[in-house]
Amino acid sequence: MKRQRRRTIVMSVSAAALLAGGPLLTGCSTGSHPGAAAVVGGERITVAEVQSHVEAVREAQRAQPNADELIAVTSGLTRQTVNFLVYLEVIDRAAADHGIEVTRRQVQEERDRAEEFAGGRERLEMTALIPQQPGVVPLTSDQIDEVLRSNVQYRQLAEQVGEQRVGEVLAETAEEIGVDVNPRYGQWDPQAVALTDAEMPWLRAPEEDAGAGARA
């Protein structure tokens, strides 16, 4: 059964640290899947889906007083978005394989804890929009719950297999279902469960729009 799309978010949010970028992409293809940024277990992550996430984040950033700074420090949003959308598919499958189902109540409880830790809803949403460390993708308000959901999946998976084995389980899952990423965004490393730099330097991700902050 095809899962409901959850591809409007990216990198993990936790109560301890809410993880807090991208012009429109070209319609290049990966393998025999035109218009796909990646294909994971037969599921296409389309260029349009990546564009939608990137623009949602950019719109939220452009509404901030320090828009130019936010956009400048999240120049890798497009690639980071592809990276985490792939990760979401992988952890979804790993959770399903281990009988893990996350309820809305669990996500709400996670949200409540995150808001309490951050100092309120507005503070949480602002923190999500600002990257806290390199490689972490900013999130809009509407995207937070989906990331919190993946946190619950990760935690329950760790409870089943042990914290030390989660990475191994995710790597095994990624290899089993197959991950095909458009080389424009990098090369998929199944052991790291992440994108690495593409070995073909002429296939580069689109440069960030230096004037994005001015399009408020």
Side-chain angles (χ1 to χ4, degrees):
M1 181 178 66
K2 191 172 183 177
R3 298 182 299 277
Q4 180 179 0
R5 303 279 179 166
R6 283 188 293 275
R7 296 168 177 159
T8 52
I9 42 82
V10 179
M11 227 53 199
S12 190
V13 180
S14 68
L18 177 65
L19 305 182
L24 298 182
L25 308 180
T26 58
C28 49
S29 64
T30 173
S32 59
H33 305 279
V39 179
V40 186
E43 292 280 341
R44 297 171 76 251
I45 298 174
T46 68
V47 170
E49 288 175 290
V50 177
Q51 289 176 344
S52 178
H53 172 82
V54 169
E55 183 53 32
V57 171
R58 287 296 186 230
E59 182 178 357
Q61 289 180 331
R62 288 195 291 265
Q64 304 305 313
N66 58 336
D68 290 345
E69 178 183 354
L70 284 177
I71 292 171
V73 299
T74 55
S75 61
L77 177 58
T78 296
R79 175 176 167 167
Q80 292 166 6
T81 296
V82 174
N83 186 55
F84 194 67
L85 296 183
V86 172
Y87 168 80
L88 288 180
E89 291 291 343
V90 173
I91 197 169
D92 247 9
R93 175 61 179 269
D97 287 348
H98 287 78
I100 295 172
E101 296 183 3
V102 179
T103 66
R104 292 183 179 180
R105 180 175 181 178
Q106 288 174 308
V107 174
Q108 184 59 54
E109 290 173 349
E110 193 83 352
R111 176 79 179 227
D112 292 342
R113 286 192 292 269
E115 289 183 358
E116 181 179 2
F117 179 84
R121 177 175 179 175
E122 290 186 2
R123 183 63 180 171
L124 176 71
E125 293 176 354
M126 177 57 67
T127 303
L129 195 60
I130 302 173
Q132 302 298 293
Q133 60 188 35
V136 174
V137 180
L139 310 169
T140 68
S141 175
D142 293 339
Q143 297 163 354
I144 294 175
D145 283 355
E146 294 291 352
V147 177
L148 291 173
R149 180 181 184 281
S150 73
N151 277 11
V152 178
Q153 289 176 315
Y154 185 97
R155 188 164 60 246
Q156 292 188 9
L157 191 59
E159 291 172 357
Q160 283 197 29
V161 306
E163 183 70 35
Q164 300 302 317
R165 285 207 66 235
V166 175
E168 180 183 342
V169 169
L170 293 177
E172 291 173 351
T173 299
E175 184 173 1
E176 176 187 350
I177 64 178
V179 176
D180 180 16
V181 177
N182 190 311
R184 177 182 293 271
Y185 310 111
Q187 185 176 30
W188 179 253
D189 183 342
Q191 296 305 311
V193 195
L195 286 173
T196 59
D197 290 336
E199 294 182 350
M200 294 163 285
W202 58 90
L203 288 173
R204 300 178 59 193
E207 295 295 332
E208 300 296 335
D209 186 350
R215 297 197 303 268

